[in-house]
Structures are given as structure tokens and as C-alpha cells.
Amino acid sequence: EGRERLMRRPPAVARVLERVTRTAREHEMFAKGDTVLVSVSGGPDSVCLLYSLSHLRRLFAIRLEVFHFDHRLRADSAKDGEYVGRLADRLRSPFHLRTAVDAPPKGGSVEAWATVARMNAANEVRKAIGAGTIAEGHTLDDQVETVLMNLIRGGGLEAVGGIWPGGRRHGDSGLAQPLLDVDRAEVEAFCGALHLRPRLDPTNRDTRLLRNAIRHRVLPAIERATGREVRRPIARSADLLREDRWELYASALDAFGQVVSGPPEDLRFDVAALLALPEPTASRVVRLALYRIMEREDVAPWTREAVDAIIDLARGRAGRRRDLPNGSTARREREYVSLSRTSPESRE
């Protein structure tokens, strides 16, 4: 019955709704009665997401609220928020607007700053309204671009596995990507079929930015050179890599309690237990521990250098120490490696 209702829509709309329904069910993105905060920039992808979930809210038995973050990166950025507010009003969904209070740091990544600022604001709204999930509009094309970006930068499984779909299948992250199997052409067809007129961001054409260069130059060049469509095969590879990533992560979670002890400000790694693990699992246990420190204070996340330093200390003799990039100090004791935000001397 649900499939028949979907197919009564225009074909371009029905196709997207089918994909969103399958993705949401596969990853257990929504539970009955959930309030879902939909993050909407005003561009085609997020507008497609909002209208898709609006069509499907009865099927999933969810309630929608709409969130927009004004990064203030363009002179006319406030118009995007006004547009999204009108969409929310049209769909009878509560609207939450937040505006950036600072600017990207000089020399830093504008995209990284924008993502963190938006997610921090969205999480504040999510907690305030009691929403279980934030839904974002990343598409299959975004997934492919992310995989290639991370390959170019030189990343491991966490990087080349691309964007995590979210949902409850692999633990509830509070973030969901229902459009991850919908490509950009399908998004545009969906918006056209419903006579929607999303906002267009001119910076998306700037090929000085790596993502845009991959989108407008690299992927078309690969498809011309190979004579085949490559986006869905690359996305399938990312799916397989994420399954491997999850298994390693699950192994690290299982081992964490045997290896790591102590409060976040004074962690200890049991040397024998750490060295008994396969290296991929051991490195992930160390990363999890470094994330615990990051959650406690505004410090840098784990780095490859920090992970290697801790494992190197575990393999070496007692008495050695290393200062880590996140401001922590690691020291090799007799049976463990200690990790603290205070100097080792102050603990003696």
C-alpha cells in the first residue's frame, strides 16, 4: 500500500521517495514518534530532503521541525534564511534560525569551520526541542566527492568510507543522511516536478575549492576517459569500506575496557593488553581514548602522530615520555602508558 501511494506521485518524485524510504529503513534512521530536525540551507539538496520527509512523515510517523544556519559568508545570506522560513511555514513545520557569531579563522578551512558552527547550533536546537535526530541533505554525489577528496588527502578507512549514513543500525549518532542514495540529477528532477525553486550558492562553481574541482572537472574527466558512469560504483565501494570500518570500530569498543582506565584527565593504557591487540584495533582504541580528552576540553582531536607516539611508548622501556599535539603528555610507566593534561612531574 505504501509503495502504491509513492508511485501515484510524478515519477521523479516517486523515485526519490522510494530511495529515501529504503535508505531510512535500512539504517533505521527514524523511530515512530520521533521529532526530526531537518537542516535546510535552501539549496536543491536540502529542499529536496525537506519535501521528501514531508511526503513521508505519515509513513514514518515522525514530526518535522526545520533548522537553518546563516553562516554570514555572503552579503545576501539572510535571504536564504527567509526562503527556508517560508518553506517551513508552507509545510506547517516550526522554524529555527541561528546566525554565526564569529568568522572562519584566517588560514583555516572555511568548509570545516562552517560545518562545525552549523552542527553546534543544530545540536543546541535539537536538545532544546527534544528532537531525536538531525537530518541532513548529503546526496550520493556528495558521498563520491568526499571519498575522492579523502583519497587525494591520504586517509584510511574512516576517510575513504565517506559520509556515515547515521541511524540506529550501527549505534544512534543523532545524525541521519536520508538522501545518500539519491544523486544530484534526481534531486533536480524532484524539485522541478514539484515546481520548487531552491536558492543557488554561487560559491559552488568556484573550482579553486577542492570539492568543486572534483565535482566540475575530475569526475567528468574520469567518466569521459573510461566511457562509463562511475559515481554509483564509487559509492558502493564506500559502502563496503564502511562495513569494514564498523567491524574494526566494534572490536575497538570491545577492547577499550581492558586497555584503558582512569578519568579523562588521567587516562592509562595497559601496555600488555594494548600490545596484544592487532595493530588496526590497537590504534583505534588509542583514538577513542584521545577523543575522551577532546570531549573534556577544547583541544585538538587525535592525530596519526599522537596515536603512533602512544603505541611506540608501549613498545619501549619505562621512563620515556612524549608531548602530544593535543597538549597532553604521555609517559611510559612500568605496566602502562599514562596520558594526562598535567606534567608527569606534578603527579609524583
Side-chain angles (χ1 to χ4, degrees):
E1 182 184 350
R3 179 180 172 83
E4 290 177 3
R5 282 201 303 270
L6 295 184
M7 297 309 293
R8 286 199 294 269
R9 312 279 184 185
V13 174
R15 186 177 304 113
V16 168
L17 297 184
E18 262 197 293
R19 291 192 188 280
V20 170
T21 300
R22 183 172 63 245
T23 298
R25 285 175 169 165
E26 177 185 351
H27 297 284
E28 302 172 20
M29 291 180 174
F30 310 123
K32 185 176 180 180
D34 268 357
T35 294
V36 177
L37 184 64
V38 188
S39 184
V40 183
S41 68
D45 298 345
S46 63
V47 169
C48 174
L49 171 69
L50 176 59
Y51 271 77
S52 295
L53 294 182
S54 181
H55 279 94
L56 297 169
R57 63 175 130 190
R58 288 188 180 85
L59 179 67
F60 290 126
I62 56 176
R63 179 176 180 271
L64 303 182
E65 300 202 17
V66 180
F67 168 77
H68 176 79
F69 187 73
D70 182 356
H71 298 91
R72 299 196 306 170
L73 293 174
R74 306 191 323 271
D76 64 344
S77 64
K79 293 181 179 178
D80 294 346
E82 294 169 3
Y83 170 75
V84 176
R86 291 194 296 272
L87 294 183
D89 186 60
R90 187 184 307 165
L91 297 175
R92 295 187 176 90
S93 295
F95 177 55
H96 305 275
L97 173 66
R98 296 292 184 271
T99 303
V101 295
D102 56 4
K106 289 185 178 179
S109 165
V110 174
E111 184 178 15
W113 168 84
T115 298
V116 171
R118 182 179 66 251
M119 283 308 304
N120 286 343
N123 271 314
E124 288 178 7
V125 173
R126 179 180 65 85
K127 292 174 184 176
I129 66 175
T133 302
I134 298 170
E136 291 189 326
H138 289 118
T139 65
L140 181 139
D141 291 72
D142 292 315
Q143 178 72 290
V144 172
E145 292 156 12
T146 299
V147 169
L148 292 180
M149 284 173 65
N150 290 334
L151 277 172
I152 290 168
R153 290 167 172 163
L157 272 182
E158 281 73 10
V160 296
I163 301 166
W164 194 262
R168 295 165 176 81
R169 180 183 166 198
H170 285 154
D172 186 7
S173 65
L175 190 64
Q177 307 288 350
L179 293 187
L180 216 49
D181 193 40
V182 178
D183 64 41
R184 196 160 286 131
E186 291 169 330
V187 163
E188 292 171 357
F190 178 98
C191 291
L194 293 180
H195 308 292
L196 301 170
R197 303 182 69 179
R199 303 277 295 172
L200 299 177
D201 184 350
T203 61
N204 288 336
R205 304 296 303 180
D206 185 356
T207 53
R208 291 173 298 180
L209 302 175
L210 179 57
R211 181 178 292 277
N212 292 341
I214 290 171
R215 178 180 303 173
H216 299 297
R217 293 181 177 174
V218 174
L219 278 165
I222 293 174
E223 292 185 335
R224 284 195 302 270
T226 60
R228 64 179 66 187
E229 194 277 324
V230 301
R231 288 167 172 82
R232 288 199 176 272
I234 292 173
R236 282 198 300 273
S237 295
D239 291 343
L240 295 171
L241 291 171
R242 282 197 309 278
E243 290 298 320
D244 292 344
R245 170 191 173 188
W246 173 253
E247 288 304 316
L248 282 169
Y249 179 69
S251 296
L253 283 177
D254 287 343
F256 189 89
Q258 283 73 51
V259 175
V260 182
S261 61
E265 65 272 11
D266 192 16
L267 290 181
R268 295 182 176 188
F269 298 88
D270 182 290
V271 168
L274 182 65
L275 295 182
L277 297 173
E279 189 165 340
T281 305
S283 69
R284 283 166 172 80
V285 168
V286 175
R287 292 179 207 176
L288 288 172
L290 292 174
Y291 270 117
R292 286 184 64 180
I293 288 184
M294 183 182 70
E295 288 172 2
R296 188 181 67 87
E297 298 188 27
D298 184 20
V299 296
W302 68 270
T303 62
R304 184 76 256 176
E305 179 186 351
V307 172
D308 289 346
I310 291 169
I311 293 177
D312 177 65
L313 285 174
R315 289 173 175 154
R317 58 180 174 78
R320 298 167 65 218
R321 56 177 287 183
R322 296 279 292 274
D323 293 327
L324 305 183
N326 68 356
S328 300
T329 298
R331 185 180 184 182
R332 176 67 153 89
E333 311 286 358
R334 178 194 273 179
E335 297 179 352
Y336 55 84
V337 173
S338 65
L339 185 63
S340 66
R341 296 287 291 165
T342 57
S343 66
E345 289 79 11
S346 69
R347 298 170 46 237
E348 294 177 347

